[in-house]
Amino acid sequence: MGQERVPDREALVAEARAQAGLDDFGDTWFFANIDALIPSLNEEAQLSAAGVAVARGMIINGLVNRLRHIDLVKRHPEILDEQVEVAAVVVGLPRTGSTMLHRMLASAPGMTGVRWFEAQNYSPFPGEERGNPAGRRQAAQGLLDYMVANIPDLMSIHPMSLDQPDEELIILGQLYSSTMIEGTYHVPAFAHWLTDHDRTQSYRDLKQILQSLQWQDASRKGAKWVLKTPGHLMALDSVIEVFPEARIVMTHRDPVATVPSYCSMEYSLYRMVSDTIDRESVARFWVPRLAQLLDGFMNVRASSGGHNFVDVRYPDLLSDPIGQGARVLSAAGVNVTPEVRAGMEQWVEHNKREDRAPHKYSLEDFGLDKEEVGKAFAIYRDKFIAAS
């Protein structure tokens, strides 16, 4: 590990202000998150020199986006009059078909989702003409090209393109309040800190950002949003509080079948910022972490009475994607017209590869065995897998 370290918050804030030419962050509640994150990056993440630069850039980019967002809302207060309606929030663990379901639903007529390029920079660039985000699209393409070059399996794990709907955890990560950060850097202490602290304000801010995205793109007027990320499992109570109208959609698949593939993806991501991280460390963190997320899901579901939850089982999604999509939309109060069905069918036809899971690794690759992983997820498997 080199001598380079991520600098303190004050230095990063000063650089973000200089880069943006702006000063007002609005409510600075997220400063506490940055203060918890930096020690974990410096002491746990085993960052390479390149990793320090990436982490530093990640924090600054989030701060710059925040500055631009606050400035935009001040210049266009009508953004706060936008009526955002979230129909569904897909929250299944990775490798459970959640990405497929999310994109299929969000691509249907009358529906929308956060596009990948928007998630990277949710605020317009300086001088950007409303409705013409060419600069942000170019920046996102450069980042995507870099990621694909450094993680050759990426498109098998999580296919991406600029305009496909993607995860809000990228936006929440720029508020230093999502599992995106622990998914990019090995920071167990920060992950546990985040779990122990209230995240409701980050979801209030996310709703305001959705208002902004809706205002930026006139084609979204009247559309209903479909959100998605496994990271929402960490704060389902906050999701329900801020988006009470939404159905919580849980995709189910046996974790024993999915954990090694997810650990492999995380190992690849960590290796982009660390030269020394090992597979066993990845597994030691992610197996209990994923189990913790599922425990949170079951607890919130039980405390809420389960009235706004919809279950989608992975085999059913693969065998009848349109039927499952129609069921979810109907539960969310959406009129499933022939046009809506046709929109979902078109997405499925154009994205056949999403039906496959070519990225496979064994439990043994990460020092795990089937019994050990099964035990970690025993309660969830008994309730939602064995009974299916």
Side-chain angles (χ1 to χ4, degrees):
M1 186 171 177
Q3 297 300 309
E4 296 89 346
R5 292 173 66 84
V6 178
D8 62 24
R9 171 174 51 85
E10 289 80 4
L12 298 173
V13 164
E15 186 162 345
R17 282 176 165 147
Q19 190 177 123
L22 298 166
D23 187 70
D24 186 4
F25 287 102
D27 187 339
T28 56
W29 63 268
F30 54 90
F31 278 8
N33 296 40
I34 300 175
D35 289 341
L37 172 59
I38 290 173
S40 195
L41 286 169
N42 286 329
E43 295 163 16
E44 292 184 305
Q46 303 176 44
L47 295 178
S48 61
V52 170
V54 170
R56 185 172 171 278
M58 175 270 295
I59 296 173
I60 291 172
N61 186 66
L63 290 168
V64 168
N65 261 303
R66 174 71 172 195
L67 288 166
R68 290 173 175 165
H69 172 73
I70 296 298
D71 180 65
L72 181 69
V73 172
K74 287 196 297 187
R75 289 187 288 111
H76 296 281
E78 67 271 20
I79 288 172
L80 301 183
D81 295 329
E82 291 285 334
Q83 297 300 306
V84 165
E85 184 178 355
V86 176
V89 183
V90 182
V91 298
L93 285 189
R95 312 302 294 155
T96 62
S98 59
T99 297
M100 173 189 177
L101 179 62
H102 171 229
R103 291 177 177 172
M104 182 180 69
L105 296 177
S107 298
M111 312 302 293
T112 191
V114 175
R115 302 179 186 108
W116 194 83
F117 85 87
E118 295 173 322
Q120 308 307 317
N121 288 286
Y122 59 84
S123 297
F125 281 176
E128 180 179 309
E129 178 186 358
R130 183 181 174 188
N132 182 25
R136 283 186 287 159
R137 290 176 60 84
Q138 183 178 2
Q141 187 63 58
L143 175 60
L144 184 57
D145 291 345
Y146 171 79
M147 293 174 67
V148 171
N150 283 273
I151 310 178
D153 289 341
L154 184 62
M155 289 302 181
S156 293
I157 305 168
H158 184 74
M160 291 180 288
S161 65
L162 298 192
D163 294 301
Q164 283 270 35
D166 218 285
E167 299 189 12
E168 306 80 45
L169 98 161
I170 303 170
I171 292 174
L172 292 167
Q174 293 180 63
L175 296 169
Y176 321 101
S177 192
S178 86
T179 57
M180 181 195 83
I181 295 174
E182 66 200 66
T184 310
Y185 313 91
H186 183 61
V187 286
F190 175 73
H192 297 315
W193 182 91
L194 198 57
T195 301
D196 292 340
H197 287 75
D198 181 66
R199 292 163 304 284
T200 304
Q201 186 58 48
S202 67
Y203 281 90
R204 295 192 185 107
D205 283 13
L206 174 61
K207 184 172 184 178
Q208 189 177 103
I209 290 166
L210 295 179
Q211 288 178 303
S212 173
L213 293 176
Q214 190 166 289
W215 176 86
Q216 291 173 41
D217 183 356
S219 71
R220 282 185 165 124
K221 193 71 175 178
K224 295 183 178 183
W225 290 82
V226 182
L227 308 184
K228 177 259 179 179
T229 177
H232 291 322
L233 291 171
M234 185 174 64
L236 267 187
D237 49 352
S238 298
V239 173
I240 292 171
E241 178 179 337
V242 176
F243 303 112
E245 75 281 8
R247 289 293 176 267
I248 308 301
V249 184
M250 186 69 178
T251 49
H252 297 285
R253 187 181 182 188
D254 191 347
V256 173
T258 62
V259 161
S261 178
Y262 188 68
C263 285
S264 175
M265 182 185 76
E266 285 303 327
Y267 178 69
S268 296
L269 289 169
Y270 289 167
R271 291 290 291 177
M272 289 181 67
V273 295
S274 172
D275 298 328
T276 55
I277 197 75
D278 59 84
R279 288 181 175 84
E280 288 74 16
S281 295
V282 173
R284 279 197 302 272
F285 172 73
W286 276 108
V287 171
R289 182 57 163 165
L290 293 173
Q292 182 183 39
L293 294 177
L294 287 178
D295 287 345
F297 154 72
M298 291 186 288
N299 290 338
V300 172
R301 181 172 179 144
S303 65
S304 68
H307 67 278
N308 58 345
F309 284 78
V310 180
D311 296 306
V312 176
R313 307 195 185 281
Y314 182 72
D316 298 334
L317 183 60
L318 292 189
S319 64
D320 184 19
I322 308 305
Q324 293 300 310
R327 184 170 67 85
V328 170
L329 291 178
S330 295
V334 175
N335 182 21
V336 184
T337 64
E339 290 77 17
V340 168
R341 282 184 173 272
M344 290 192 291
E345 289 169 354
Q346 184 178 41
W347 185 91
V348 170
E349 181 62 30
H350 291 166
N351 295 272
K352 293 280 192 185
R353 63 171 292 128
E354 296 264 329
D355 292 350
R356 302 197 306 269
H359 178 255
K360 292 180 184 257
Y361 281 81
S362 69
L363 292 168
E364 290 75 17
D365 290 337
F366 295 88
L368 300 170
D369 61 61
K370 184 174 181 179
E371 182 179 350
E372 177 185 4
V373 175
K375 185 176 180 180
F377 297 96
I379 298 174
Y380 168 78
R381 295 177 79 214
D382 286 346
K383 190 171 181 64
F384 293 99
I385 303 300
S388 63

